[in-house]
Amino acid sequence: MEAFWNMTCGCSCSETGGEAFCYDFKLLKDPSTCINHLLTLIFDLLLLIMISLVMIHKSLSGPVRRVQRLSKLQLVSVITNGSLGMLHLSIGIWVFEEQLRKTHSVLPLNWWLLEFFQGFTWMLVGLTLSLELKQFPRTWLWVFSTLLFFFSGIFCALSISYAFSSRELNLKEALDVVSFPGAALLLLCTYKSCKCDGEVGERLYAPLNRNQFNEVDPVSYENVTPFAKAGFFSRISFWWLNLLMKRGQERTLEDEDMPKLRESERAESCYFLFVDQLDRQKLSVLWTIILCHQRDILISGFCALLKVLSLSSCPIILNAFVLVSEDNGSFKYEGYVLAIALFFIKIIESLSQRQWYFRTRLVGMKVKSLLTAAIYKKQLRLSNAARLVHSGGEIMSYVTVDAYRIGEFPFWFHQTWTTILQLCIAVVILIRAVGLATIASLVVILVAVLFNAPIATLQHKYLSKLLVAQDERLKASSEALVNVKVLKFYAWEIHFKNAIESLRKVELKWLSSVLLQKAYNVIIFWSSPMFVSAATFGACYLLKVPLHANNLFTFVATLRLVQNPISIIPDLIGVVIQANIAFTRIVKFLEAPELPGENVRNLCFDEKLKGTILINSADFSWEGNNASKPALRNINLKVIPGQKIAICGEVGSGKSTLLAAILGEVPVTKGNIEVYGKFAYVSQTSWIQRGTIQENILFGSDLDAQRYQETLDRCSLVKDLELFPHGDLTEIGERGVNLSGGQKQRIQLARALYQNADVYLLDDPFSAVDAHTATNLFSEYILEGLKGKTVLLVTHQVDFLPAFDYVLLMSYGKSLQAAPYHHLLSSNQEFQDLVNAHKETAGSDQPVDVTSSHEHSNSDREVTQSFKQKQFKAMNGDQLIKKEERERGDTGFKPYLQYLNQSRGYMYFSASALSFLMFLTCQIIQNSWMAANVDNPHVSTLQLILVYLMIGIGSTIFLMTRIFLAVALGFQSSKSLFSQLMNSLLRAPMSFYDSTPLGRILSRVSVDLSILDLDIPLSLTNAVGGFIGYYADLIVLTAITWQVLFISIPMVYIVIRLQRHYYACAKEFMRMDGTTKSSVANHVAETVAGSMTIRAFEAEDRFFKKNLDLIDANASPFFHSFSSSEWLIQRLETVYAIVLASAALCMVMLPPGTLTSGFIGMALSYGLSLNSSLVYSTRCQCILANHIVSVERLNQYMHIPTEAQEVIEGNRPPVNWPVAGKVEIQDLQIRYRPGGPLVLHGITCNFEGGCKIGIVGRTGSGKSTLISALFRLVEPAGGKIIVDGIDISCIGLHDLRSSFGIIPQDPTLFIGTVRYNLDPLSQHSDQEIWEVLRKCQLQDAVKDKGGLESSVVEDGSNWSTGQRQLFCLGRALLRKSRILVLDEATASIDNATDLILQKTIKTEFADCTVITVAHRIPTVMNCTMVLAINEGKLAEYDKPMKLMKRKSSLFAQLVKEYWSHLQSAESH
């Protein structure tokens, strides 16, 4: 063995102190030792053997493919590694020649043989891997490149460590260091090659994996983000963003400037990858998400590690600098080398940190996109039982708040372990600096962590409570905003605002607790470095550890470097807790029960079966498997293709539930159901999408002009479209707010007819239209348009029943009998009662002369041609629904001032900023005291430490003051802004709601308010603190080395220019993010409301695809927003690195003794933390700039023009007003918008007190507008309304509306109890409420459900539409107003109930003025006077019998049409 050692190394073990020395592991650190050389040779030899075997195997296995063109990265790798190999070979030859010249022997072998092997290995491995990337198996590529990178990294680290410890740098160490970048380039080439292969594979297989959405997007390759095609260097430097940033500087960015995301970042790719992994791996949702993004997580983790290592090397360099300043340097130009090394280390730190942050943000965005898509997909399939648990407001909260919180978490993920690693490395450096005194540091850190544990637990608890309270408030807010028209009719806005504000008080209680817990966290972690320093210096004094400038400022610099990671621990804890709670809520939702997977519709290959419905002894229950509570019992039904079935029965008998069961919405608990063919469904409550009328009718189908025109004709829509400013291209407001009830219903019918389905399920579609239109629809639509189709029509209108093949009579959830009309009439007593009730309500005095209704159909056809010419003309006028507005350009400090201008906000903010300035001043004084006196013999160590501690305690007091003031600022501002927002929204006129989609409002009261509550308070104080901290560090650095001002002043100018460049784009990105976020929220809200219709038309995939597109449209500005912040910070860090390196060079170049070692240490410790301060400051400013957009958005809706005053104190009506109930209408003119056309044209008439007034007219004639004018939902453009001698425009709105009673057109119930829905103001006793329920025929139904405390769920969906209408009647009976308005009040109830109601109203409101708007002519036949309106003008006003006698009378015409409609129905 000794002979071998002599031959190889040229020395024996005995010469160097025995056996042990030769194999001492410590010798590995020295690159010149023989054992180090031998290990390198063995590694090189193994690598050469492995690569040779692979190449031989490759050459034998098949022909070598043509060499492909090299990329730029491969060229750089070839040049770098080839040069390294040549350098090693050249050194080997030179060493060999020198050895022969001096010793005339080739022994020892170690030096020259090592260099030969190193050179040959680098040449072969480096060039082979760089040039033959495509030829090598992927596994071997990764093995070689990873091994080379790993061992090069180890040798590089050992060489650097040895160089610092030995204070010398030889050739071998330099080569080891230089070899590491070559190995890194090889690893990068491998990664790029494998990634490209993967992308090719994805493109090849994409159509197979996404068969649902395999259409080629014609614009998918246009305007894609430059990031998609950016090269390696462009990506790490964010150079690809320059063009967009330049465009943003030149002009304000618009939506069309926003590039699309690349394929892998789009919601569709993310969602389907997630679903595929979830199905394949059978893992939890969390682990599936991690698996989907493991590569990005690992790469960002590697970048985070590189950042921590580069950051942690800075105190070591500082220590070396102080030694150089004390003339203890290792070599002559060590100071210059250290300054240059410092520059490069800071550049590496910047590059790695930027990629870390960018990639984690990218992962967060993808996770947010896939969760939003998953929530949307889930709510399309959510069972009815689950909908009771997860309301529409909560689903909105999952999308807008919870998915956002989870999307923020990946950015913080690596902070968890990097903070721990950084602390561990800091401890190692501290041990080296102060020895055993480090134990005191660890004890203080441990105490801080232990103190934080219960605070973190409390924070989790309070945050959970806060989110629950937020959900409750959001649910109440969304319910109030959806039904704001009803609230205004009943004058309940104040009550609902108080209810929402009481929920907000609960939310604020938990918010204050959460903010205070955050404050305690911040105090603990911001003050801990000071206590760590004091404890450590105290331990140094006790343990007699000497304190000098080099070890003291190494300690201080290390603490300053970990101060930022420590200071974000409170934020990190908060983010982890928020993400955990949000994730738990979303997972609970995603695991909620769905509608049965097996659809009731059967695949139909036999054309003869299409349209068949077979139900055999079936029970159906809304609660799924709960067979004990069936909604329908023992249903038997057989419908053959082409049959037309009418379904009738009393209110609540299960008619709508039967249609839902056929659609598959109500699970079967017993028996079976089979349906063949395609469905079309028309719901009882109209569901209209936001968009044009044409889009609503086509509903995703292609436009066939002939079929489309025929559909408009059959649905009697031609005349209505003529009245709209842009025909069928008129934008409809959300939920069809700018349409009448009849128009909404006919658009629904047109949508169904255009689909050309096999089975038509129509749920009482004629209740909202007048008799003439109903007759037209029945004749043209049901009998002609649906000829040969299977039709199931739910109706209360007995007139049409004879025309049907069968009539199905339902009662209490059972099908009593199905038979032809006359057979059922003769054999079934209940049906006879139903028909008799209709005859009684219709009256017996039929007019003799009945004209045909066809002339109106002809008039419709006469306008068809002119309509065709108009409908596709360019739209010059304004649409009702405006594009969402956003602030443009640089708004400066305006939104910040809006935030601070709340409840003494300026005072809190100024005091907080001043406190932080004092805190930093104390820190600077602390460190200056140490720098000036650490080597001062006249100051004892104890005195040094005590003064340091006293200053530190003072700084902690300022810190506590600052953070509590920040919490107070946030709390007060949130409270004030919310109050103003709700006041503004609930006092806004109806015109605002008509033109503003609900999603825009809800996104503000959900996600924007959440950001206002939780994020802005601390991000504002952090941004200001970071700004002050950065300039404080810069001032300290330049104060000590003033020469650096020559570089730092121009650099500050560059920084300001860069920030302006950034803010020009970043604010637009975030504003676009806000508006596109509203679009996502709109779409979700719209889908929640119409999910049953969407499923019926099997349009789930189309709606899901639209949702994916909206998510991408929202993700793109967010992606470019966080990319631009990294773009900015990277350039600022480069500027900083230049300033720091310049300061270091100044210190080196100054004559010895100019600066003491203490001040050099202080300057460098502040200089090293300057980077962290800059990044922290800029990041906080970027975050704040993003968050402050929420204040802008909230402020837009805080200054909406309001309605008139609620109460005018000097002009209040008498308490019992109105007494007589006389209504005088004088030249009333109404227009919905300033500059818009008149809707009512100068109506003049008087309603005498106690009279019963009937208002009639065709659909869209202005009947409901007159009612809106009476309640002042719309203010007159001219004229006035006088009630009992008081002009209603002169009194407060609350006084006016609370004095009238109304039963509105759309029956609305609120979440709560039966008692709450009838008497929300708690003004009546139980006895009064039960009496009203008896009169409304609801007593039994309420008792069956549990009495007055029985629940009413969202939208009152656990009560039938008819029952909801009866509740509205109950409210009117309880109010006992002298003026009662019935706006189509009996449209959704059966004739028997209608008859009882008419009698009830006649009895209960005998002395009152009752104004009835009705489509059912018999309803107004018993009125004292009838007002007929035609196209917004008063056509006639007289007693009904007088009007009947006039041949030209509109009312007489309507009556004739009604009886014609009856006769027509009977003849059919």
Side-chain angles (χ1 to χ4, degrees):
M1 190 67 188
E2 193 166 329
F4 169 77
W5 207 258
N6 269 320
M7 182 183 74
T8 310
C9 302
C11 66
S12 67
C13 295
S14 56
E15 287 172 20
T16 51
E19 188 88 19
F21 180 81
C22 294
Y23 300 103
D24 189 351
F25 186 74
K26 291 177 184 175
L27 294 177
L28 278 174
K29 283 181 66 177
D30 186 354
S32 62
T33 58
C34 188
I35 192 165
N36 189 301
H37 292 179
L38 278 173
L39 285 173
T40 308
L41 278 168
I42 291 166
F43 172 68
D44 288 343
L45 194 61
L46 281 171
L47 211 56
L48 285 170
I49 293 168
M50 286 165 67
I51 200 165
S52 302
L53 289 172
V54 172
M55 289 178 73
I56 291 165
H57 174 73
K58 192 71 185 167
S59 62
L60 294 173
S61 61
V64 178
R65 291 181 289 176
R66 182 172 60 85
V67 177
Q68 297 184 353
R69 184 170 172 271
L70 297 180
S71 67
K72 290 179 184 177
L73 189 64
Q74 283 176 279
L75 282 171
V76 173
S77 179
V78 167
I79 293 165
T80 305
N81 291 306
S83 302
L84 276 171
M86 289 298 294
L87 188 61
H88 277 291
L89 284 172
S90 302
I91 293 169
I93 293 166
W94 178 70
V95 170
F96 183 67
E97 285 180 347
E98 284 293 300
Q99 196 164 311
L100 277 177
R101 187 173 62 80
K102 289 179 180 177
T103 64
H104 304 288
S105 170
V106 295
L107 300 176
L109 302 172
N110 64 338
W111 259 107
W112 65 268
L113 190 64
L114 171 72
E115 292 303 326
F116 269 126
F117 261 97
Q118 282 277 78
F120 191 63
T121 304
W122 274 110
M123 292 281 284
L124 183 65
V125 176
L127 295 179
T128 305
L129 291 187
S130 297
L131 294 169
E132 303 286 328
L133 272 173
K134 302 292 181 184
Q135 313 291 340
F136 262 71
R138 189 181 292 190
T139 308
W140 284 109
L141 272 177
W142 277 112
V143 168
F144 289 134
S145 54
T146 307
L147 278 174
L148 205 60
F149 179 80
F150 180 68
F151 279 100
S152 296
I154 289 174
F155 288 131
C156 176
L158 290 173
S159 296
I160 291 171
S161 173
Y162 184 75
F164 274 109
S165 60
S166 65
R167 307 282 175 195
E168 61 182 31
L169 185 69
N170 59 39
L171 187 61
K172 176 67 171 64
E173 292 161 10
L175 282 172
D176 281 346
V177 173
V178 174
S179 298
F180 181 64
L185 277 170
L186 278 177
L187 186 66
L188 199 58
C189 281
T190 303
Y191 165 71
K192 290 286 287 182
S193 172
C194 295
K195 185 184 174 192
C196 289
D197 291 345
E199 285 178 354
V200 169
E202 280 179 22
R203 285 198 293 271
L204 285 171
Y205 290 101
L208 296 175
N209 292 334
R210 298 181 194 149
N211 53 2
Q212 286 182 312
F213 304 108
N214 56 4
E215 301 89 350
V216 177
D217 184 359
V219 291
S220 61
Y221 297 104
E222 298 173 17
N223 195 25
V224 176
T225 175
F227 178 68
K229 296 178 183 177
F232 172 73
F233 292 107
S234 177
R235 287 188 183 187
I236 64 168
S237 64
F238 296 95
W239 200 262
W240 57 271
L241 205 53
N242 285 0
L243 189 63
L244 192 61
M245 299 296 280
K246 185 181 177 184
R247 194 183 302 161
Q249 184 73 11
E250 291 169 353
R251 60 181 173 82
T252 302
L253 292 174
E254 299 294 341
D255 293 341
E256 52 271 17
D257 294 318
M258 194 52 53
K260 290 182 170 62
L261 297 172
R262 60 179 186 163
E263 186 65 33
S264 58
E265 269 85 59
R266 291 183 189 174
E268 185 181 330
S269 304
C270 298
Y271 175 74
F272 283 113
L273 176 64
F274 167 71
V275 170
D276 183 50
Q277 292 289 352
L278 194 64
D279 293 342
R280 237 181 324 138
Q281 303 292 340
K282 305 297 181 188
L283 297 169
S284 67
V285 174
L286 176 63
W287 281 107
T288 306
I289 290 172
I290 291 170
L291 191 66
C292 289
H293 303 96
Q294 57 182 341
R295 192 185 70 183
D296 282 327
I297 292 169
L298 289 172
I299 292 169
S300 58
F302 173 74
C303 292
L305 176 64
L306 199 60
K307 186 260 176 184
V308 170
L309 293 175
S310 57
L311 183 68
S312 301
S313 63
C314 292
I316 299 169
I317 293 175
L318 182 143
N319 186 44
F321 244 112
V322 174
L323 290 172
V324 168
S325 72
E326 294 173 342
D327 290 330
N328 291 327
S330 305
F331 51 93
K332 187 176 180 181
Y333 297 109
E334 186 182 4
Y336 294 98
V337 172
L338 287 171
I340 294 165
L342 196 59
F343 176 76
F344 282 107
I345 282 171
K346 283 297 169 187
I347 293 297
I348 290 168
E349 181 191 332
S350 172
L351 291 172
S352 56
Q353 189 173 25
R354 300 288 58 80
Q355 289 302 309
W356 164 20
Y357 284 5
F358 171 74
R359 286 183 174 275
T360 49
R361 284 281 189 206
L362 191 60
V363 170
M365 182 193 81
K366 289 158 78 173
V367 169
K368 178 187 164 193
S369 293
L370 76 86
L371 284 176
T372 305
I375 292 164
Y376 184 86
K377 188 81 170 176
K378 179 72 180 185
Q379 66 94 16
L380 280 172
R381 304 191 299 251
L382 204 63
S383 71
N384 289 286
R387 283 187 187 279
L388 300 179
V389 180
H390 305 278
S391 67
E394 285 172 316
I395 293 171
M396 183 69 73
S397 179
Y398 300 148
V399 170
T400 55
V401 179
D402 292 335
Y404 165 79
R405 295 289 173 201
I406 294 167
E408 288 290 293
F409 174 69
F411 173 72
W412 296 85
F413 171 69
H414 292 306
Q415 296 280 9
T416 51
W417 63 268
T418 52
T419 302
I420 295 166
L421 177 63
Q422 209 164 327
L423 287 171
C424 292
I425 293 171
V427 167
V428 172
I429 296 169
L430 294 182
I431 289 171
R432 183 169 173 173
V434 294
L436 288 173
T438 310
I439 294 169
S441 306
L442 293 174
V443 169
V444 174
I445 291 169
L446 187 63
V447 168
V449 170
L450 289 174
F451 263 110
N452 185 64
I455 292 174
T457 307
L458 280 173
Q459 193 173 346
H460 185 281
K461 175 189 170 185
Y462 293 151
L463 199 56
S464 301
K465 299 277 190 185
L466 173 64
L467 289 174
V468 170
Q470 192 180 69
D471 274 351
E472 290 299 316
R473 189 259 308 156
L474 187 59
K475 194 189 293 183
S477 302
S478 61
E479 187 176 49
L481 294 169
V482 167
N483 302 306
V484 69
K485 187 174 184 178
V486 174
L487 297 189
K488 289 181 183 297
F489 271 139
Y490 288 122
W492 285 349
E493 310 105 291
I494 296 173
H495 170 74
F496 269 76
K497 183 169 79 72
N498 292 339
I500 292 167
E501 286 187 342
S502 66
L503 291 171
R504 177 66 174 170
K505 279 178 186 173
V506 176
E507 187 183 1
L508 286 172
K509 171 191 161 190
W510 297 117
L511 176 65
S512 64
S513 301
V514 169
L515 290 176
L516 282 172
Q517 295 307 315
K518 282 189 174 186
Y520 298 143
N521 268 333
V522 170
I523 290 165
I524 288 170
F525 286 104
W526 271 81
S527 60
S528 57
M530 189 278 299
F531 289 114
V532 166
S533 303
T536 307
F537 295 154
C540 287
Y541 172 73
L542 295 172
L543 296 171
K544 304 287 191 271
V545 176
L547 289 175
H548 296 295
N550 65 328
N551 68 342
L552 186 141
F553 281 101
T554 300
F555 177 86
V556 170
T558 306
L559 273 189
R560 285 185 66 78
L561 287 176
V562 298
Q563 186 167 351
N564 275 331
I566 286 174
S567 67
I568 64 166
I569 287 176
D571 295 333
L572 179 61
I573 292 167
V575 167
V576 170
I577 291 169
Q578 286 177 26
N580 179 39
I581 294 167
F583 194 77
T584 304
R585 283 153 51 89
I586 287 179
V587 169
K588 183 182 175 185
F589 174 70
L590 293 178
E591 292 173 352
E594 297 181 2
L595 289 168
E598 66 280 358
N599 204 306
V600 296
R601 304 178 214 191
N602 296 315
L603 290 172
C604 186
F605 300 105
D606 185 353
E607 289 292 325
K608 293 178 181 176
L609 279 176
K610 280 187 177 177
T612 303
I613 301 171
L614 301 170
I615 306 176
N616 184 28
S617 303
D619 286 5
F620 300 89
S621 172
W622 286 108
E623 297 180 25
N625 297 324
N626 189 353
S628 63
K629 293 184 179 178
L632 297 174
R633 296 185 299 279
N634 196 29
I635 302 294
N636 289 283
L637 184 65
K638 181 180 179 181
V639 183
I640 61 174
Q643 270 194 336
K644 291 181 171 50
I645 309 292
I647 304 170
C648 59
E650 293 179 351
V651 167
S653 59
K655 304 182 293 297
S656 298
T657 306
L658 178 61
L659 295 191
I662 293 169
L663 286 170
E665 296 289 320
V666 191
V668 186
T669 57
K670 178 187 165 188
N672 57 70
I673 174 171
E674 295 177 36
V675 181
Y676 298 88
K678 180 182 171 186
F679 284 148
Y681 171 64
V682 175
S683 58
Q684 189 172 10
T685 305
S686 304
W687 179 68
I688 302 293
Q689 283 180 274
R690 183 183 160 223
T692 65
I693 294 172
Q694 187 184 89
E695 286 168 352
N696 269 276
I697 294 172
L698 296 181
F699 205 58
S701 301
D702 294 328
L703 177 64
D704 178 334
Q706 186 178 346
R707 180 152 61 102
Y708 180 70
Q709 188 58 46
E710 186 184 333
T711 301
L712 295 179
D713 287 339
R714 294 201 182 281
C715 296
S716 304
L717 276 170
V718 174
K719 271 191 173 182
D720 297 88
L721 293 179
E722 280 193 313
L723 298 174
F724 290 122
H726 309 299
D728 64 340
L729 298 179
T730 301
E731 285 268 351
I732 302 177
E734 197 165 13
R735 304 177 311 282
V737 289
N738 47 335
L739 300 174
S740 71
Q743 287 167 337
K744 285 190 275 188
Q745 199 63 280
R746 280 178 287 140
I747 288 171
Q748 278 209 123
L749 287 165
R751 176 171 64 204
L753 181 60
Y754 191 81
Q755 298 305 308
N756 193 26
D758 303 306
V759 178
Y760 282 80
L761 305 175
L762 313 176
D763 195 353
D764 202 10
F766 303 140
S767 61
V769 296
D770 58 65
H772 163 62
T773 310
T775 306
N776 265 358
L777 286 173
F778 186 72
S779 174
E780 294 286 327
Y781 188 96
I782 302 290
L783 300 179
E784 294 297 326
L786 300 182
K787 186 180 285 185
K789 306 288 185 182
T790 302
V791 179
L792 275 78
L793 172 74
V794 170
T795 184
H796 293 123
Q797 294 172 319
V798 176
D799 326 328
F800 296 128
L801 298 184
F804 286 85
D805 298 316
Y806 284 95
V807 177
L808 174 64
L809 181 63
M810 301 214 45
S811 180
Y812 297 105
K814 291 182 181 178
S815 53
L816 295 183
Q817 193 175 348
Y821 173 79
H822 294 292
H823 181 269
L824 196 63
L825 191 60
S826 60
S827 62
N828 191 293
Q829 185 60 46
E830 286 194 33
F831 187 65
Q832 287 175 20
D833 294 342
L834 203 69
V835 174
N836 290 335
H838 167 68
K839 287 179 178 176
E840 198 170 336
T841 56
S844 55
D845 301 324
Q846 297 187 22
V848 180
D849 182 27
V850 176
T851 57
S852 171
S853 65
H854 289 298
E855 41 186 300
H856 292 283
S857 300
N858 292 338
S859 67
D860 281 353
R861 291 189 177 90
E862 285 167 16
V863 298
T864 299
Q865 192 58 39
S866 63
F867 169 68
K868 280 182 178 177
Q869 293 167 2
K870 289 180 183 178
Q871 69 171 344
F872 295 114
K873 283 185 179 179
M875 296 185 294
N876 299 319
D878 291 338
Q879 290 282 11
L880 173 70
I881 307 300
K882 306 291 184 194
K883 186 177 177 183
E884 184 169 6
E885 58 183 58
R886 57 182 171 92
E887 298 286 348
R888 295 183 180 276
D890 185 12
T891 53
F893 291 109
K894 183 182 171 186
Y896 301 95
L897 298 177
Q898 286 165 353
Y899 181 74
L900 295 174
N901 196 22
Q902 310 292 328
S903 302
R904 301 188 299 280
Y906 290 117
M907 186 183 75
Y908 289 125
F909 175 75
S910 304
S912 175
L914 185 63
S915 298
F916 190 69
L917 185 61
M918 294 304 298
F919 168 72
L920 286 176
T921 305
C922 288
Q923 283 199 326
I924 293 168
I925 293 169
Q926 264 187 317
N927 291 321
S928 300
W929 163 260
M930 281 294 193
N933 298 293
V934 65
D935 292 321
N936 187 347
H938 302 295
V939 178
S940 68
T941 307
L942 183 61
Q943 188 182 353
L944 190 77
I945 294 166
L946 284 174
V947 171
Y948 183 88
L949 180 62
M950 294 303 292
I951 299 169
I953 290 169
S955 72
T956 306
I957 292 167
F958 285 119
L959 176 69
M960 291 170 68
T961 307
R962 175 237 182 178
I963 202 66
F964 285 127
L965 286 168
V967 168
L969 167 66
F971 182 80
Q972 292 298 336
S973 295
S974 284
K975 187 177 176 182
S976 173
L977 285 166
F978 177 82
S979 180
Q980 290 177 56
L981 179 69
M982 289 316 295
N983 275 333
S984 178
L985 287 172
L986 290 174
R987 296 277 296 117
M990 280 310 300
S991 58
F992 168 75
Y993 291 95
D994 291 346
S995 59
T996 307
L998 185 66
R1000 290 183 194 171
I1001 306 170
L1002 290 181
S1003 69
R1004 282 165 171 82
V1005 297
S1006 57
V1007 67
D1008 286 320
L1009 206 61
S1010 176
I1011 289 171
L1012 181 79
D1013 288 346
L1014 291 170
D1015 298 325
I1016 290 182
L1018 293 179
S1019 66
L1020 177 63
T1021 49
N1022 288 344
V1024 173
F1027 176 81
I1028 296 170
Y1030 168 67
Y1031 282 100
D1033 288 356
L1034 191 62
I1035 288 165
V1036 170
L1037 182 64
T1038 52
I1040 295 170
T1041 55
W1042 60 266
Q1043 296 84 353
V1044 84
L1045 281 170
F1046 293 109
I1047 291 173
S1048 60
I1049 288 172
M1051 289 302 174
V1052 166
Y1053 172 75
I1054 292 170
V1055 165
I1056 292 168
R1057 292 283 300 179
L1058 281 169
Q1059 285 181 326
R1060 284 185 180 174
H1061 203 62
Y1062 161 76
Y1063 286 123
C1065 293
K1067 285 197 173 181
E1068 297 308 318
F1069 289 148
M1070 282 314 295
R1071 287 165 184 157
M1072 284 185 228
D1073 177 57
T1075 53
T1076 52
K1077 200 182 289 172
S1078 295
S1079 300
V1080 175
N1082 270 334
H1083 189 59
V1084 171
E1086 198 170 66
T1087 308
V1088 169
S1091 54
M1092 189 168 166
T1093 301
I1094 293 166
R1095 287 191 292 269
F1097 284 96
E1098 295 181 309
E1100 298 101 307
D1101 289 345
R1102 181 170 61 82
F1103 272 77
F1104 183 55
K1105 182 72 171 73
K1106 183 181 177 183
N1107 183 61
L1108 293 175
D1109 292 340
L1110 290 171
I1111 292 169
D1112 287 339
N1114 176 232
S1116 180
F1118 178 68
F1119 168 76
H1120 290 92
S1121 172
F1122 67 73
S1123 302
S1124 62
S1125 68
E1126 302 306 330
W1127 176 92
L1128 171 69
I1129 294 173
Q1130 189 172 74
R1131 278 143 186 79
L1132 295 183
E1133 285 178 327
T1134 306
V1135 168
Y1136 150 76
I1138 294 168
V1139 172
L1140 181 62
S1142 304
L1145 281 170
C1146 284
M1147 292 176 199
V1148 172
M1149 294 166 72
L1150 287 172
T1154 305
L1155 292 172
T1156 65
S1157 57
F1159 277 106
I1160 286 176
M1162 180 179 171
L1164 281 177
S1165 70
Y1166 272 85
L1168 289 173
S1169 64
L1170 191 64
N1171 186 30
S1172 301
S1173 299
L1174 176 65
V1175 173
Y1176 180 72
S1177 170
T1178 309
R1179 188 163 65 85
C1180 287
Q1181 286 175 42
C1182 293
I1183 290 169
L1184 179 61
N1186 294 343
H1187 286 162
I1188 209 70
V1189 172
S1190 292
V1191 175
E1192 277 184 3
R1193 285 165 52 75
L1194 289 169
N1195 190 64
Q1196 286 171 346
Y1197 285 0
M1198 281 162 51
H1199 302 289
I1200 306 162
T1202 62
E1203 290 185 303
Q1205 287 178 260
E1206 290 183 323
V1207 174
I1208 300 172
E1209 289 300 338
N1211 199 12
R1212 298 198 69 172
V1215 177
N1216 59 345
W1217 179 86
V1219 179
K1222 182 179 179 181
V1223 180
E1224 300 170 58
I1225 302 173
Q1226 298 176 2
D1227 192 29
L1228 183 66
Q1229 298 173 15
I1230 297 289
R1231 55 167 54 93
Y1232 280 116
R1233 289 179 290 164
L1238 284 173
V1239 184
L1240 294 182
H1241 303 262
I1243 290 180
T1244 302
C1245 59
N1246 293 339
F1247 303 160
E1248 294 300 328
C1251 285
K1252 308 296 178 279
I1253 311 295
I1255 301 177
V1256 296
R1258 302 198 189 282
T1259 300
S1261 59
K1263 304 184 295 294
S1264 293
T1265 304
L1266 182 60
I1267 302 305
S1268 295
L1270 184 63
F1271 282 83
R1272 286 178 64 194
L1273 293 186
V1274 56
E1275 295 288 349
K1280 56 187 175 180
I1281 300 175
I1282 297 171
V1283 176
D1284 279 7
I1286 295 177
D1287 184 348
I1288 63 169
S1289 61
C1290 298
I1291 61 173
L1293 290 179
H1294 182 77
D1295 288 337
L1296 169 70
R1297 292 167 183 169
S1298 60
S1299 301
F1300 295 169
I1302 186 169
I1303 305 173
Q1305 190 171 359
D1306 297 318
T1308 302
L1309 297 187
F1310 301 94
I1311 298 171
T1313 62
V1314 169
R1315 182 202 304 278
Y1316 177 75
N1317 269 278
L1318 286 169
D1319 182 26
L1321 306 184
S1322 301
Q1323 294 173 330
H1324 302 279
S1325 67
D1326 285 6
Q1327 188 178 351
E1328 289 176 290
I1329 295 171
W1330 277 117
E1331 180 60 25
V1332 162
L1333 287 172
R1334 184 186 62 76
K1335 290 172 181 174
C1336 295
Q1337 306 293 306
L1338 279 171
Q1339 190 174 18
D1340 293 341
V1342 171
K1343 281 181 178 176
D1344 290 344
K1345 293 205 175 190
L1348 296 180
E1349 297 305 318
S1350 55
S1351 68
V1352 177
V1353 300
E1354 189 175 21
D1355 296 329
S1357 55
N1358 57 335
W1359 299 84
S1360 75
T1361 308
Q1363 287 170 328
R1364 280 179 254 164
Q1365 195 80 69
L1366 296 176
F1367 274 115
C1368 294
L1369 178 75
R1371 290 172 187 157
L1373 290 171
L1374 280 172
R1375 184 168 276 195
K1376 298 175 184 172
S1377 303
R1378 292 293 298 175
I1379 295 177
L1380 174 67
V1381 177
L1382 282 77
D1383 190 2
E1384 315 282 8
T1386 58
S1388 300
I1389 54 179
D1390 60 85
N1391 288 293
T1393 314
D1394 187 9
L1395 184 62
I1396 295 164
L1397 287 183
Q1398 294 302 330
K1399 287 178 178 175
T1400 304
I1401 291 169
K1402 195 173 182 179
T1403 307
E1404 297 296 321
F1405 296 96
D1407 300 328
C1408 301
T1409 304
V1410 179
I1411 303 168
T1412 305
V1413 176
H1415 286 141
R1416 291 182 180 179
I1417 292 299
T1419 309
V1420 297
M1421 287 300 290
N1422 295 323
C1423 289
T1424 316
M1425 301 287 282
V1426 169
L1427 171 65
I1429 301 176
N1430 187 28
E1431 295 181 356
K1433 296 173 184 173
L1434 189 149
E1436 56 205 15
Y1437 179 54
D1438 210 332
K1439 293 180 180 177
M1441 296 316 295
K1442 283 187 179 179
L1443 291 174
M1444 293 262 295
K1445 292 173 184 176
R1446 293 181 201 162
K1447 288 192 176 179
S1448 60
S1449 164
L1450 173 63
F1451 178 65
Q1453 199 174 0
L1454 291 170
V1455 173
K1456 287 175 184 178
E1457 284 168 6
Y1458 178 75
W1459 292 116
S1460 168
H1461 143 75
L1462 282 185
Q1463 289 181 346
S1464 172
E1466 287 175 4
S1467 66
H1468 286 302

